[in-house]
Structures are given as C-alpha cells and as structure tokens.
C-alpha cells in the first residue's frame, strides 16, 4: 500500500509540450502592497495561486483594504495612503508577506503585530527593522532580537536610509514598496554586498507600473512620496516556476516552451537559462515565450548564482546528472530560506548517490550512480519540485509531503504529469528466443544511427544477482536488487560498475532467466531501469525484448514482432551456443509456453505491431525490411 504522505514519481519520461506557468508570486505580492495603499479600485489579473499570495491577500485585507478574489483575479479597493493599523497578522511561511507588510504597516500611526510559522521566527528581519527605525518607525521585537514576531507602528518619515540587503533583497524591496506612503521622499541606498539585484530591479519596475516616481542612482533609488492611483494590471508568469519545466526538459532531453516570458525580462530566475546553455541545453527566445531543448550529455559547470539563488535547487539536480563536477557560488542566502536549502541539497543529493558538499555560500556536486530514495522535503516547495524532476529519470524517487508545493504552485504535480510523457522515439523489437532479435536490433540501430538497448540483459543481470546470492526467483530477489546498480553502455551490461556481459550468458543464467523475469516485483524494477536508460539517452533508441511494445514502451513509434518456426529458431540457437538442435527446440517450445502463459507481461505481440517471420530471410533482409517499415511510418 502506498504511503499517502509520499508521491512516487514515474521514471522513463521526457518533458515535452507548452505551458503558461502561474503568475509570479514575487510580482503578485508587490502589486498587492501597492494596490492596498492606492487611491481607488484596482483589478489585478494573473495572480499566483499559492499560499504565499493568499497570505498577502489576507494581510492587506486585515490592514483595511477591500479585496475580492476570484481565481487569479483580485479586485482591490485601496486605502489611499497608510493603513489605519490595530491589526494582528499571520504571514505563515511567506517571507515576502512578512517583510513587505512589516514595512507597509510602519507607514501607519497605529500598531500592527506580525508573526508567522516556527521557521519564520528563525528567518532574519533585523536589517529591515534597522532601516525602518532609521526612518522614524517604532518597531518592537517581541521575541529574539532581529527575528519575528514584531509590533510595528509609524508614521514613516522621508529621508535617506542605508539598507543592508546582503541576506535578502526583500529588505530593500520592502522599503521601496512602502516609500510612496511615507511623509516625504525616501532615498534608499544599498550597503555593500546586496544580493539578488534583479529582484530589486523588478520592484522598481512594479513601482513605475503604478506611476510612482522613481529616480535611479548608482547606489540605489529615490522614491517620490504620494499614494499611487488605482491600476488595472496583469501579473506576468512566474519565472521561478518556469525553472522546473525548463530544467526538466534539459535533463530528459525534452523540448518545452514556456509562454509569456522572455530573456530580457527582469525576473531573477531567468538567469537559470544561461546556466542551462552552459550545460549544453538549447535556449530559444520565441515570439510567444522561451523554449528549452535538452541535449545529452549535460556538462558540469561553474556558475555564480547570486542573482538567482532559488534557481540553484533545480540546477543542482541537473548537475547531479552531468558528465562532470559542478560548483555553484553566491548561495549564502539559501541558508535562511524556508529551510537551510544548502544543507538540504547536500543531504538529499548524497542520499540519491551524488557527492555533494555545501560550503558557507557554495555547493559542489560530483555526479555518481544515482538511485531511488524517499526525498525529505523539509516543508520546502522548491526541494519537492526539484527532486521530482530527478524522478523522471531515476527510478524509485518518492517525494515526502508533496503537498508543500501549495506554497507557490499547488497544481505542480498535475502539470508535471501532463508535460512528462513516456518516451516515444523508440523502435520496439519483440519476439521469442531464437528469432534473431539481438543481431537484428544491433544492425537496425547501426543503420539508423540509434542506440540499442537489450532489455533481456537486465533480466539476466538480475538472475545473476540471485545466483551469486543463492536467492531463488521471488520477492526476496527483488528486494536484493535494490542494493545494486545496473547500467548498460554500448552492449556492456554492468552490475555495480562491473562488466558482467559474459557471465549473464552462462547456461545457469539462461535456465533461470524466464522464472526471474516472471516475478512482478523484479519486472517492475527492471522496467523502471530500462525506461530511465532510454530517457537519459537523449537520442532515438532501438529496444528489443519480449514486452517492449506492450508494456515497457507502449507508445513506441514503431513496433515490430519477429517470429520464426520453432525448428529454425532452435537451429540458430544451437549454432550460437554449440548445443544439440533437438534439445534446443525442446527448450524453446517450453520457454515459449512459459513466457506466453505467465501472468505478468506475457509474451504476445502488441496490437499495432508489424509481424515479420524471419524463418526464410537472411539477417540483412530482415534489417532492410524493418528500416523500410520504420521510415514509412515516420515519413
């Protein structure tokens, strides 16, 4: 029985398609602050759907604004100036709500109390408190100094303030957003070491969209005092959300287009695109949005992510699948987010098999053989979404507490399922033993410039594990397989990195492989591994076996079912193995009966498979016929 607190990610899929992400949480909350203080009624469309935006809606309503929300549209009748105060607000886990509303509340002349989750009480707010006090506001720290909860009251005077934004750009954004409601113009200067400058530029762009006067200086901005007039504005899609389908396309060699965003936009996480390009992905800015096409293999990179630290989580997953080590710097702010994201990334990457080391503000990732695990999410939506991408390729990934994505993108997993489709660029060649599948599939792959996967090698490898450990075919063997890694490269089958291509052809393996492959739990593990191999290959693949077109890749673009008369197959097998043809025919007939009668994945042709009897055909004739059939199908 599955654990309702976990979500198993189906591997062997590729991210393809087109989507428009939800509205930007960052922009939504900035617009809501200004709408709350504006003169008149504003209509905001395209608001983000998550808990962060819901917290902001509740907060500005508690401050006195009138808010009617219908889906992604909010109609806000503003206060025409500072809020009246006398309110108690719960920001939950929303950092933007806590920081922006603290500053907005500091413009009014009556007290407002703000609190949040236990983690919010661990997230610093001291630099914002210092800036507000320097502009005349009263701020009482009700718990540990420098952290929520707070009691705030204004008014907020105009003047010059130096803001330390080295831990979070939100401290400076909060002052900028509150400045129109101060008693005079506010000159905001940034102290050395400010992070995530694109977020600050985005704040200024929002102010200007509301008609607020802003003068840009080398070290900051001057914001003119005066409540803005009401506006009808659309919130652009969230680049922070778009990161996940983009990275998903990169790691699965997929192709995804995100509508409504362009590379010249101001959202910080657009910086992820340059890193994906460095890793080998193709990024195209089209008229309707930004398309990312994955290319294998991904390359390790050395990148400064100080401008887009939140994007580091998905990029770290991509780096774990690269061909070489990666190092990301400028990540110190991740330690004071919803969780200590650097520590979480180090822990979870190690748990899936990568070698990850987090420093004070950097993360080093050395790829390794990856494997499934239950990913701890730390109540952090970005951890959940990032490692879900890994599960598209690596079998056995389960996401703990998947509901945490409700913070910003409640429908994320449904969207991912819609975008991540089973790999279809497969030529599936099925058939019983002795029909020449191995020789034919190898030749077809060479003729068409494709990779080839022998799925039977996986079951033979599983059988070898059982023989070595003295475990009979059954559930115990399936459990034992979890302790090993299986890889296949250029015809070489390996267990835990050791070449076993010769051993898996031994008579003892051949005698037991049918029984092993009939164990449902074994087949589940091996099918996941085969799908993951194809998904990570990045090119068209020829896959041969006994249930490729019916079970493993039912969406294969071309399906071929090879067959031959039993006596012909027996003669071929005897010539290959140097055994007696009569004995081989008896074995083949017995195996055919067993394989076709088993309950799990019985040997049978797919309904849409092309049948080809190879009894009287030379190998070259078979190959030529399959290639011609495939080309006819794909045009």
């Amino acid at each position: 029985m599955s654990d309702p607190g976990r979500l198993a990610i189906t591997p062997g899929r590729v991210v393809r398609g087109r989507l428009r992400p939800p509205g930007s949480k960052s922009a939504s909350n900035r617009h809501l602050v200004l709408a709350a203080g504006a003169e008149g009624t504003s209509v905001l469309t395209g608001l983000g759907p998550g808990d962060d935006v819901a917290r902001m809606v509740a907060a500005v309503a508690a401050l006195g604004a009138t808010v009617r929300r219908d889906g992604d549209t909010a109609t806000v009748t503003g206060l025409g100036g500072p809020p009246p105060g006398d309110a108690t607000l719960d920001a939950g886990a929303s950092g933007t709500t806590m920081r922006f509303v603290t500053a907005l509340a500091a413009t009014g002349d009556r007290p407002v109390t703000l609190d949040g989750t236990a983690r919010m009480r661990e997230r610093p707010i001291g630099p914002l408190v210092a800036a507000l006090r320097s502009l005349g506001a009263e701020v009482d720290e009700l718990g540990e100094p420098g952290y929520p909860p707070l009691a705030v009251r204004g008014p907020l005077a105009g003047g010059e303030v130096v803001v330390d934004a080295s831990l979070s750009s939100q401290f400076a954004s909060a002052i900028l957003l509150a400045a129109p409601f101060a008693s005079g113009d506010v000159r905001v200067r940034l102290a050395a070491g400010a992070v995530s400058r694109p977020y600050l530029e985005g704040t200024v762009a929002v102010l200007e969209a509301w008609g607020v006067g802003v003068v840009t200086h080398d070290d900051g901005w001057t914001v003119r005092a005066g409540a803005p007039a009401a506006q009808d504005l659309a919130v652009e899609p969230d680049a922070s959300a778009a990161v996940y389908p983009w990275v998903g396309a990169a790691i699965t060699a997929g192709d995804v287009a995100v509508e409504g965003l362009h590379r010249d936009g101001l959202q910080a996480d657009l910086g992820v695109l340059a890193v994906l390009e460095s890793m080998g992905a193709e990024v195209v800015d089209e008229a309707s949005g930004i398309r990312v096409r994955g290319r294998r293999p991904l390359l390790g990179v050395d990148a400064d992510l100080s401008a887009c630290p939140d994007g580091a989580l998905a990029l770290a997953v991509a780096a774990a699948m690269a061909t070489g080590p990666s190092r990301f710097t400028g990540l110190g702010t991740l330690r004071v987010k919803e969780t200590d994201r650097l520590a979480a990334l180090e822990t979870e990457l190690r748990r899936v098999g990568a070698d990850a080391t987090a420093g004070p503000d950097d993360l080093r990732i050395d790829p390794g053989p990856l494997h499934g695990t239950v990913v701890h999410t730390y109540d952090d939506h970005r951890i959940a979404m990032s490692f879900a991408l890994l599960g598209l390729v690596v079998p056995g990934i389960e996401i703990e507490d998947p509901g945490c994505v409700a913070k910003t993108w409640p429908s994320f997993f449904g969207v991912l399922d819609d975008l991540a489709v089973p790999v279809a660029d497969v030529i599936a060649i099925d058939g019983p033993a002795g029909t020449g599948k191995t020789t034919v599939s190898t030749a077809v792959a060479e003729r068409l410039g494709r990779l080839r996967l022998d799925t039977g090698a996986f079951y033979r490898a599983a059988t070898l594990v059982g023989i070595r450990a003295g475990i009979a075919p059954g559930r115990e063997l399936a459990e034992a397989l979890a302790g090993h890694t299986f890889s296949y490269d250029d015809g070489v089958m390996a267990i835990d990195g050791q070449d076993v291509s010769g051993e898996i052809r031994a008579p003892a393996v051949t005698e037991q492989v049918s029984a092993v492959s009939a164990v449902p739990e074994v087949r589940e593990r091996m099918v996941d591994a085969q799908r993951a191999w194809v998904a990570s290959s990045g090119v068209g693949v020829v896959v041969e076996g006994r249930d490729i077109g019916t079970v493993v890749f039912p969406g294969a673009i071309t399906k071929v079912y090879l067959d031959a008369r039993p006596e012909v197959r027996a003669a071929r097998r005897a010539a290959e193995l140097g055994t007696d043809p009569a004995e081989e025919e008896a074995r083949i007939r017995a195996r055919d009966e067993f394989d076709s009668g088993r309950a799990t994945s019985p040997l049978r042709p797919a309904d849409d498979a092309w049948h080809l009897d190879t009894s009287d055909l030379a190998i070259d004739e078979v190959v030529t016929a399959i290639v011609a059939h495939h080309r006819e199908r794909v045009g």
Side-chain angles (χ1 to χ4, degrees):
M1 181 179 295
S2 61
D3 187 331
R6 300 176 183 173
L7 177 66
I9 306 299
T10 302
R13 294 185 290 165
V14 59
V15 174
R16 290 182 180 147
R18 179 176 296 273
L19 79 156
R20 186 180 181 90
S24 166
K25 173 204 74 173
S26 173
S28 294
N29 281 357
R30 284 161 170 78
H31 284 299
L32 283 165
V33 167
L34 293 171
E39 182 74 49
T41 299
S42 302
V43 178
L44 305 177
T45 57
L47 289 180
D51 184 66
D52 275 19
V53 176
R55 292 284 181 177
M56 181 62 83
V57 167
V60 298
L63 288 177
T66 301
V67 186
R68 298 190 308 277
R69 185 172 184 183
D70 182 9
D72 68 353
T73 299
T75 303
V76 183
T77 300
L79 299 165
D86 287 331
T88 298
L89 308 179
D90 181 2
S94 173
T96 54
T97 301
M98 173 60 72
R99 291 155 181 177
F100 295 174
V101 176
T102 293
L104 179 62
T107 65
D109 59 5
R110 298 183 67 83
V112 174
T113 301
L114 301 100
D115 201 355
T117 61
R119 175 59 181 171
M120 184 60 70
R121 291 186 173 194
E122 297 174 349
R123 297 181 67 180
I125 201 169
L128 176 58
V129 169
L132 292 172
R133 285 172 173 166
S134 75
L135 290 172
E138 298 179 19
V139 185
D140 293 330
E141 294 158 298
L142 304 179
E144 184 178 350
Y147 297 87
L150 305 170
V152 184
R153 70 184 298 170
L156 197 69
E160 182 173 305
V161 60
V162 178
V163 182
D164 179 358
S166 59
L167 287 177
S168 174
S169 65
Q170 290 175 8
F171 302 146
S173 284
I175 298 295
L176 291 169
L177 291 168
F181 312 109
S183 60
D185 296 350
V186 177
R187 169 78 159 88
V188 178
R189 294 179 54 217
L190 297 176
V195 297
S196 304
R197 183 68 179 243
Y199 280 108
L200 294 170
E201 293 170 349
T203 300
V204 171
V206 168
L207 286 166
E208 291 175 338
W210 282 84
V212 175
V214 183
V215 178
T216 300
H217 309 287
D218 290 341
D219 61 350
W221 301 268
T222 295
V223 181
R224 304 301 185 196
Q231 302 285 330
D232 292 347
L233 295 168
V235 177
E236 71 176 348
D238 193 356
S240 297
V243 163
Y244 301 99
W246 283 332
V247 172
I251 68 176
T252 64
D255 184 343
V256 70
V258 173
E259 297 177 342
L261 293 171
H262 295 281
R263 295 193 71 164
D264 59 359
L266 295 178
Q267 292 190 57
D269 282 329
L270 291 169
V272 165
L273 295 168
V275 182
L276 289 178
E277 283 181 317
S278 298
M279 298 182 81
E282 178 186 2
V283 179
V284 182
D285 198 342
E286 301 176 331
S288 61
I290 300 172
R291 179 184 296 275
V292 171
R293 296 186 180 97
R295 297 286 185 268
R296 299 291 294 174
L298 291 176
L299 307 175
V301 292
D302 193 325
D304 178 358
L305 301 182
S306 57
C308 54
D310 286 344
L313 283 76
L315 288 172
V317 165
M321 299 186 61
T323 56
S326 294
R327 178 173 180 255
F328 299 128
T329 58
L331 303 181
T333 59
L334 292 186
R335 293 199 177 274
V336 293
K337 296 283 188 174
E338 284 83 341
T339 185
D340 181 340
R341 286 176 171 166
L342 273 180
L345 281 171
E346 179 183 65
T347 298
E348 299 309 309
L349 287 170
R350 286 181 175 274
R351 293 183 65 244
V352 298
D355 184 4
T357 304
D361 76 340
D362 73 318
L363 180 67
R364 298 172 183 267
I365 302 166
D366 198 355
L370 303 181
H371 54 76
T373 190
V374 177
V375 175
H376 302 314
T377 54
Y378 311 87
D379 196 26
D380 191 324
H381 55 133
R382 301 204 187 281
I383 294 287
M385 292 189 285
S386 297
F387 281 86
L389 302 178
L390 188 67
L392 299 177
V393 178
V394 177
I397 296 291
E398 294 184 57
I399 303 301
E400 182 184 68
D401 185 24
C404 66
V405 301
K407 187 173 192 293
T408 52
W409 198 353
S411 62
F412 170 76
F413 289 109
V415 172
L416 185 63
D417 277 342
D418 288 341
L419 288 173
V421 298
V423 177
D425 194 10
V426 168
I427 298 175
I429 300 180
D430 288 310
T435 54
K437 294 190 307 295
T438 299
T439 303
V440 168
S441 61
T442 300
V444 169
E446 290 177 354
R447 186 85 62 90
L448 295 174
R450 289 171 168 250
L451 296 180
R452 171 187 166 273
L453 177 64
D454 175 7
T455 61
F458 282 81
Y459 293 106
R460 287 178 172 273
T463 304
L464 180 60
V465 168
I467 291 173
R468 286 175 171 179
I471 302 173
R475 180 172 295 182
E476 184 183 356
L477 173 56
E479 293 172 353
L481 297 179
H484 299 277
T485 59
F486 299 86
S487 59
Y488 184 82
D489 184 29
D490 197 24
V492 174
M493 189 72 214
I495 301 175
D496 301 327
Q498 179 186 8
D499 182 358
V500 294
S501 303
E503 286 184 81
I504 63 174
R505 301 296 170 184
V509 172
T510 299
E511 289 174 4
Q512 295 187 37
V513 66
S514 282
V516 169
S517 61
V519 177
E521 294 84 0
V522 171
R523 294 200 70 81
E524 182 178 351
R525 289 189 181 278
M526 294 297 100
V527 167
D528 282 350
Q530 293 156 17
R531 287 173 174 165
W533 184 90
V534 171
S536 65
S537 68
V539 297
V541 177
V542 178
V543 185
E544 61 107 332
R546 286 175 173 78
D547 61 353
I548 309 308
T550 55
V551 175
V552 186
F553 294 111
I557 193 169
T558 300
K559 300 177 185 178
V560 178
Y561 189 84
L562 299 183
D563 205 348
R565 296 187 297 275
E567 64 272 18
V568 174
R569 292 159 51 204
R572 291 171 178 170
R573 182 57 60 89
E576 176 187 351
L577 301 177
T579 53
D580 181 71
E583 293 178 358
E584 286 300 331
E585 184 172 348
R587 292 192 187 100
I588 280 176
R589 290 184 182 276
R591 182 166 181 178
D592 285 353
E593 183 177 358
F594 179 85
D595 286 348
S596 60
R598 66 191 182 196
T600 302
S601 298
L603 172 64
R604 63 175 179 81
D607 292 339
D608 55 347
W610 181 56
H611 291 243
L612 182 61
D613 190 316
T614 68
S615 300
D616 301 315
L617 298 175
I619 290 296
D620 188 62
E621 292 176 306
V622 175
V623 172
T624 298
I626 292 174
V627 169
H629 172 69
H630 171 69
R631 287 175 172 162
E632 181 181 347
R633 283 188 56 80
V634 300

